[in-house]
Amino acid sequence: MIPQTDPKAGYLAQRAEIDAAIQRVLDGGRYILGEEVAAFEREFAAFADARHGIAVASGTDALILALRALDIGPGDCVITVSHTAVATVAAIELTGAQALLLDVDASYGLDPAQLEATLNAWPATAARPKAIIPVHLYGQAADMPAIAAIAEKHGLAILEDGSQAHGARLNGIGIGHWGKLSAYSLYPTKNLGAIGDGGIITTDDAALDARLRELREYGWRERYVSAISGMNSRLDPLQAAILRVKLTRLQVDTDRRRAIAARYDAGLADVKAISLPRTRPGAMPVYHQYVIETENREALRTKLSERGVSTLVHYPVPVHLQPAYLGRVPLGVGGLKRTEAAALRVISLPMFPQLSDAQVDQVIAAVRASV
């Protein structure tokens, strides 16, 4: 069976270097923060063309802390999408703020037209939204030029969720540079994934960098003395050491993901029963997932499984329709028609850098034989 994703393959590809990095940390005796974490922060920030990187315990914590650094809290409203990992919305609520969910466009990014319509229709007597979290889903960049222009017009702070898009670019600009902060997950299946959990925030703002370092460690400015109310969210040095190794070949892995996507594109272009990923003009995706759409999803998944191809659905239930959020999270003007349609149609084909061309061709043949 060809797996849909395989984080162990990433470890095996760099096993000797990762094992040596782990041993270095064990021998060093510093098991919380320290130079290993600081080095990863510098190296990831350099990769992301950012001045500062702040490593934390998870991608969810990265979003929570970034929101708190922007002074988001109880009574505030934060706009994002419903077609996303639930962590995006959970993070907003964990600050005490209220999420407002919008629809997606054809590339699964936040729909700028609905954003503008929703803000223009906002009641004059109601508190205005304070921030927006565009999600760069599946490794595709959201329409940031349009979103950023609307955010500036309406006074919204931008926090980019780059958890599935490490290194993606739009119009020559890397994600994370359209707003004040960008949050990334380092979950094992991500393009840059730990062997465990982790997250990182990037910013060019020195004041936000300092505030985030306080917030992630109890609000300390000096040890054991909390200057502000913070939390405990620290990436551990073992994960930092692993991530430093994996970061050295992230661009190589990204190039391989793009080559796999191009092979899928060529092999499936004439299959009328499915829709292939739509890349925004000027975008350079990093293909965290290769997502197709079809009307008969479960039948196709069953046939692919019978032919030795594993698939996943990201995501089968939009956040606003999940039991925890149903009926209590406000939606954008006009509803979430694209989101709800996509949730019934999307399928993620196998996508990870260690897939061979022969395996990709097997997937292509299986899809063609199954629709």
PDB file of all heavy atoms in Angstrom, residues 246-259:
ATOM      1  N   LYS A 246      16.645  18.544   9.634  1.00  0.00           N
ATOM      2  CA  LYS A 246      15.657  18.446   8.563  1.00  0.00           C
ATOM      3  C   LYS A 246      15.550  19.748   7.764  1.00  0.00           C
ATOM      4  O   LYS A 246      15.254  19.731   6.569  1.00  0.00           O
ATOM      5  CB  LYS A 246      14.302  18.041   9.148  1.00  0.00           C
ATOM      6  CG  LYS A 246      14.332  16.650   9.797  1.00  0.00           C
ATOM      7  CD  LYS A 246      12.991  16.215  10.308  1.00  0.00           C
ATOM      8  CE  LYS A 246      12.145  15.658   9.195  1.00  0.00           C
ATOM      9  NZ  LYS A 246      10.873  15.076   9.700  1.00  0.00           N
ATOM     10  N   LEU A 247      15.819  20.871   8.416  1.00  0.00           N
ATOM     11  CA  LEU A 247      15.777  22.155   7.720  1.00  0.00           C
ATOM     12  C   LEU A 247      16.833  22.236   6.622  1.00  0.00           C
ATOM     13  O   LEU A 247      16.623  22.902   5.602  1.00  0.00           O
ATOM     14  CB  LEU A 247      15.974  23.287   8.734  1.00  0.00           C
ATOM     15  CG  LEU A 247      15.877  24.725   8.210  1.00  0.00           C
ATOM     16  CD1 LEU A 247      14.517  24.991   7.574  1.00  0.00           C
ATOM     17  CD2 LEU A 247      16.135  25.712   9.348  1.00  0.00           C
ATOM     18  N   THR A 248      17.957  21.522   6.793  1.00  0.00           N
ATOM     19  CA  THR A 248      19.027  21.589   5.800  1.00  0.00           C
ATOM     20  C   THR A 248      18.606  21.017   4.447  1.00  0.00           C
ATOM     21  O   THR A 248      19.219  21.342   3.426  1.00  0.00           O
ATOM     22  CB  THR A 248      20.290  20.844   6.277  1.00  0.00           C
ATOM     23  OG1 THR A 248      19.985  19.446   6.451  1.00  0.00           O
ATOM     24  CG2 THR A 248      20.815  21.425   7.587  1.00  0.00           C
ATOM     25  N   ARG A 249      17.589  20.180   4.435  1.00  0.00           N
ATOM     26  CA  ARG A 249      17.145  19.628   3.150  1.00  0.00           C
ATOM     27  C   ARG A 249      15.698  19.989   2.843  1.00  0.00           C
ATOM     28  O   ARG A 249      15.077  19.378   1.954  1.00  0.00           O
ATOM     29  CB  ARG A 249      17.355  18.121   3.093  1.00  0.00           C
ATOM     30  CG  ARG A 249      16.556  17.267   4.039  1.00  0.00           C
ATOM     31  CD  ARG A 249      16.731  15.797   3.716  1.00  0.00           C
ATOM     32  NE  ARG A 249      16.136  15.457   2.440  1.00  0.00           N
ATOM     33  CZ  ARG A 249      16.544  14.423   1.676  1.00  0.00           C
ATOM     34  NH1 ARG A 249      17.559  13.672   2.060  1.00  0.00           N
ATOM     35  NH2 ARG A 249      15.936  14.164   0.530  1.00  0.00           N
ATOM     36  N   LEU A 250      15.152  20.988   3.544  1.00  0.00           N
ATOM     37  CA  LEU A 250      13.768  21.371   3.288  1.00  0.00           C
ATOM     38  C   LEU A 250      13.573  21.849   1.853  1.00  0.00           C
ATOM     39  O   LEU A 250      12.575  21.525   1.211  1.00  0.00           O
ATOM     40  CB  LEU A 250      13.317  22.444   4.282  1.00  0.00           C
ATOM     41  CG  LEU A 250      11.881  22.952   4.112  1.00  0.00           C
ATOM     42  CD1 LEU A 250      10.868  21.812   4.152  1.00  0.00           C
ATOM     43  CD2 LEU A 250      11.553  23.988   5.187  1.00  0.00           C
ATOM     44  N   GLN A 251      14.514  22.613   1.309  1.00  0.00           N
ATOM     45  CA  GLN A 251      14.363  23.085  -0.056  1.00  0.00           C
ATOM     46  C   GLN A 251      14.418  21.926  -1.045  1.00  0.00           C
ATOM     47  O   GLN A 251      13.661  21.892  -2.033  1.00  0.00           O
ATOM     48  CB  GLN A 251      15.429  24.124  -0.405  1.00  0.00           C
ATOM     49  CG  GLN A 251      15.192  24.816  -1.747  1.00  0.00           C
ATOM     50  CD  GLN A 251      13.827  25.487  -1.825  1.00  0.00           C
ATOM     51  OE1 GLN A 251      13.495  26.316  -0.978  1.00  0.00           O
ATOM     52  NE2 GLN A 251      13.033  25.134  -2.831  1.00  0.00           N
ATOM     53  N   VAL A 252      15.297  20.959  -0.797  1.00  0.00           N
ATOM     54  CA  VAL A 252      15.364  19.764  -1.653  1.00  0.00           C
ATOM     55  C   VAL A 252      14.039  19.015  -1.601  1.00  0.00           C
ATOM     56  O   VAL A 252      13.498  18.587  -2.634  1.00  0.00           O
ATOM     57  CB  VAL A 252      16.521  18.854  -1.210  1.00  0.00           C
ATOM     58  CG1 VAL A 252      16.464  17.516  -1.945  1.00  0.00           C
ATOM     59  CG2 VAL A 252      17.857  19.538  -1.455  1.00  0.00           C
ATOM     60  N   ASP A 253      13.497  18.858  -0.389  1.00  0.00           N
ATOM     61  CA  ASP A 253      12.213  18.172  -0.241  1.00  0.00           C
ATOM     62  C   ASP A 253      11.089  18.949  -0.918  1.00  0.00           C
ATOM     63  O   ASP A 253      10.189  18.363  -1.525  1.00  0.00           O
ATOM     64  CB  ASP A 253      11.891  17.984   1.241  1.00  0.00           C
ATOM     65  CG  ASP A 253      12.725  16.883   1.889  1.00  0.00           C
ATOM     66  OD1 ASP A 253      13.390  16.129   1.156  1.00  0.00           O
ATOM     67  OD2 ASP A 253      12.698  16.788   3.132  1.00  0.00           O
ATOM     68  N   THR A 254      11.144  20.270  -0.820  1.00  0.00           N
ATOM     69  CA  THR A 254      10.129  21.101  -1.477  1.00  0.00           C
ATOM     70  C   THR A 254      10.194  20.938  -2.991  1.00  0.00           C
ATOM     71  O   THR A 254       9.159  20.819  -3.664  1.00  0.00           O
ATOM     72  CB  THR A 254      10.313  22.573  -1.094  1.00  0.00           C
ATOM     73  OG1 THR A 254      10.121  22.709   0.321  1.00  0.00           O
ATOM     74  CG2 THR A 254       9.329  23.465  -1.821  1.00  0.00           C
ATOM     75  N   ASP A 255      11.395  20.940  -3.526  1.00  0.00           N
ATOM     76  CA  ASP A 255      11.556  20.737  -4.971  1.00  0.00           C
ATOM     77  C   ASP A 255      10.983  19.383  -5.389  1.00  0.00           C
ATOM     78  O   ASP A 255      10.366  19.257  -6.464  1.00  0.00           O
ATOM     79  CB  ASP A 255      13.026  20.835  -5.359  1.00  0.00           C
ATOM     80  CG  ASP A 255      13.576  22.246  -5.241  1.00  0.00           C
ATOM     81  OD1 ASP A 255      12.778  23.194  -5.169  1.00  0.00           O
ATOM     82  OD2 ASP A 255      14.812  22.397  -5.199  1.00  0.00           O
ATOM     83  N   ARG A 256      11.172  18.377  -4.548  1.00  0.00           N
ATOM     84  CA  ARG A 256      10.632  17.051  -4.863  1.00  0.00           C
ATOM     85  C   ARG A 256       9.108  17.061  -4.812  1.00  0.00           C
ATOM     86  O   ARG A 256       8.444  16.468  -5.683  1.00  0.00           O
ATOM     87  CB  ARG A 256      11.199  16.007  -3.887  1.00  0.00           C
ATOM     88  CG  ARG A 256      10.660  14.593  -4.096  1.00  0.00           C
ATOM     89  CD  ARG A 256      10.930  14.068  -5.495  1.00  0.00           C
ATOM     90  NE  ARG A 256      10.266  12.777  -5.729  1.00  0.00           N
ATOM     91  CZ  ARG A 256       9.992  12.296  -6.930  1.00  0.00           C
ATOM     92  NH1 ARG A 256      10.321  12.967  -8.023  1.00  0.00           N
ATOM     93  NH2 ARG A 256       9.401  11.136  -7.050  1.00  0.00           N
ATOM     94  N   ARG A 257       8.541  17.733  -3.835  1.00  0.00           N
ATOM     95  CA  ARG A 257       7.084  17.851  -3.770  1.00  0.00           C
ATOM     96  C   ARG A 257       6.550  18.508  -5.047  1.00  0.00           C
ATOM     97  O   ARG A 257       5.524  18.076  -5.602  1.00  0.00           O
ATOM     98  CB  ARG A 257       6.665  18.668  -2.544  1.00  0.00           C
ATOM     99  CG  ARG A 257       6.811  17.944  -1.212  1.00  0.00           C
ATOM    100  CD  ARG A 257       6.448  18.855  -0.044  1.00  0.00           C
ATOM    101  NE  ARG A 257       6.611  18.212   1.239  1.00  0.00           N
ATOM    102  CZ  ARG A 257       5.683  17.490   1.860  1.00  0.00           C
ATOM    103  NH1 ARG A 257       4.481  17.355   1.304  1.00  0.00           N
ATOM    104  NH2 ARG A 257       5.921  16.927   3.020  1.00  0.00           N
ATOM    105  N   ARG A 258       7.228  19.553  -5.498  1.00  0.00           N
ATOM    106  CA  ARG A 258       6.785  20.230  -6.723  1.00  0.00           C
ATOM    107  C   ARG A 258       6.904  19.316  -7.936  1.00  0.00           C
ATOM    108  O   ARG A 258       6.051  19.340  -8.840  1.00  0.00           O
ATOM    109  CB  ARG A 258       7.599  21.506  -6.922  1.00  0.00           C
ATOM    110  CG  ARG A 258       7.228  22.608  -5.928  1.00  0.00           C
ATOM    111  CD  ARG A 258       8.169  23.786  -5.998  1.00  0.00           C
ATOM    112  NE  ARG A 258       7.722  24.874  -5.124  1.00  0.00           N
ATOM    113  CZ  ARG A 258       8.520  25.794  -4.600  1.00  0.00           C
ATOM    114  NH1 ARG A 258       9.832  25.755  -4.882  1.00  0.00           N
ATOM    115  NH2 ARG A 258       8.043  26.722  -3.824  1.00  0.00           N
ATOM    116  N   ALA A 259       7.937  18.501  -7.971  1.00  0.00           N
ATOM    117  CA  ALA A 259       8.103  17.556  -9.087  1.00  0.00           C
ATOM    118  C   ALA A 259       7.011  16.497  -9.062  1.00  0.00           C
ATOM    119  O   ALA A 259       6.479  16.113 -10.122  1.00  0.00           O
ATOM    120  CB  ALA A 259       9.482  16.905  -9.015  1.00  0.00           C
TER     121      ALA A 259
END
